[in-house]
Amino acid sequence: MNKKLLIFIFFLVISNFSKAEILTVEVTSEYEDGTVLLAVYDKEEYFGKTKANQKTDPKHILLGAKGLISNYKGKVTFDLPYGKYVVAGIHDLDDNGVLTGNFLGMPKEPFGFSNNKRGNFGPPKWDDVLIEFNANNQKILINLKGI
């Protein structure tokens, strides 16, 4: 095969791969330490579907991560391609892997979303919490708060 053709094919193949970059999510909480659970959503139809006391369906999120909160702060990094995303998080005080709620389904643990928006009697609107991830090493802050 022609050397120029091989080089062209190589660059064509390489250019088709989505390049992943680093998004850092810093969190603050009302509680001093514990576990933080974060989920990155890229599809609106799956956002806000998980209720208190339920496990999130792994097929509904793009990425999930677990981190530690110490001295009221935590940090988790995600390696993902540039795009538009929603990040949701909880301070999992009882380490059960879900947002614990009361008998009415109201959250008993601190939670938060990208852009620090809150919903009225449910999750916020997708467009209110949608972020544009467009710079390597971009940072966002989510304040985890209870009701």
Side-chain angles (χ1 to χ4, degrees), residues 4 10 16 19 21 34 56 66 68 76 87 92 95 97 99 114 118 120 127 131 138:
K4 288 182 181 178
F10 172 76
N16 284 330
K19 188 175 179 185
E21 303 295 349
T56 300
K66 184 177 188 179
L68 293 176
V76 174
V87 183
D92 191 11
D95 278 322
L99 177 63
S114 38
R118 310 270 296 189
N120 294 321
D127 289 336
I131 61 163
Q138 185 172 330

Side-chain angles (χ1 to χ4, degrees), residues 42-71:
D42 63 343
K43 293 183 174 47
E44 182 176 3
E45 63 264 25
Y46 296 133
F47 173 67
K49 301 300 183 211
T50 305
K51 306 300 179 202
N53 303 313
Q54 292 180 341
K55 290 237 183 233
T56 300
D57 184 337
K59 294 182 237 166
H60 290 184
I61 61 172
L62 176 65
L63 289 172
K66 184 177 188 179
L68 293 176
I69 292 175
S70 178
N71 198 25

